[in-house]
Amino acid sequence: MHTSYWIILVLSLLEVALLAGVITFFFRLRRSEQLLAKLQKSQNEFLGKIEKSVDLEQQFLNNFAERQTELLHLETQLAEREKQLRNLLQQAESLAQSPQFLRQVILSGHRKGRSIKSLAQSTGLSTDEVELILEQGGSS
């Protein structure tokens, strides 16, 4: 019986060792599952951050496109306004160079007591031309 006792004892120890191995494997498996769950959670958080980043980038691109459209519209308006102002400036220059306007400026300036020399400088005419206009203006 002595041999069978040793066989039973060895088999029992072997079963205990196997049971300990299974328990150790189970705990390691459980730790691995927890680690895997933690990694999946981190991966999901990371994917969430990436999605948020993509959304922000898309909003940035949309805002940029809107600003570009607004700038093009403003540039068009500015070009039109520039054209209108150039036309007005040309009209004002042609009006300022008209003989009737110059005559009116010289006569009203003379009435206000401005000298012939200052009237000639402001109108771009010679003093003789200013004197001639004043003589004609006084007689009419």
Side-chain angles (χ1 to χ4, degrees), residues 101-117:
F101 180 75
L102 289 175
R103 185 174 184 271
Q104 285 292 1
V105 168
I106 291 170
L107 292 175
S108 67
H110 184 65
R111 278 187 231 121
K112 292 179 183 176
R114 289 184 63 191
S115 69
I116 292 177
K117 187 175 181 180

Side-chain angles (χ1 to χ4, degrees), residues 18-121:
L18 283 174
L19 183 60
V22 167
I23 290 172
T24 305
F25 177 75
F26 176 74
F27 282 120
R28 283 190 177 181
L29 179 63
R30 188 154 205 172
R31 256 193 293 165
S32 295
E33 286 176 347
Q34 290 173 349
L35 181 62
L36 183 61
K38 186 178 178 182
L39 287 174
Q40 284 177 339
K41 182 180 176 186
S42 296
Q43 182 183 16
N44 288 337
E45 289 174 359
F46 182 68
L47 288 174
K49 288 179 182 179
I50 288 176
E51 286 177 13
K52 186 183 261 188
S53 176
V54 167
D55 288 343
L56 289 174
E57 183 180 0
Q58 188 61 43
Q59 288 176 2
F60 175 76
L61 290 175
N62 289 342
N63 284 342
F64 183 75
E66 288 175 14
R67 297 295 176 247
Q68 287 295 100
T69 304
E70 287 178 25
L71 285 174
L72 289 174
H73 179 68
L74 289 174
E75 184 179 3
T76 303
Q77 286 180 336
L78 184 62
E80 178 136 346
R81 191 62 58 96
E82 178 187 17
K83 185 178 176 183
Q84 290 172 352
L85 289 175
R86 285 188 191 278
N87 288 339
L88 287 174
L89 186 60
Q90 286 176 349
Q91 289 175 1
E93 286 175 352
S94 66
L95 179 65
Q97 295 302 318
S98 74
Q100 282 184 327
F101 180 75
L102 289 175
R103 185 174 184 271
Q104 285 292 1
V105 168
I106 291 170
L107 292 175
S108 67
H110 184 65
R111 278 187 231 121
K112 292 179 183 176
R114 289 184 63 191
S115 69
I116 292 177
K117 187 175 181 180
S118 71
L119 289 171
Q121 286 176 345

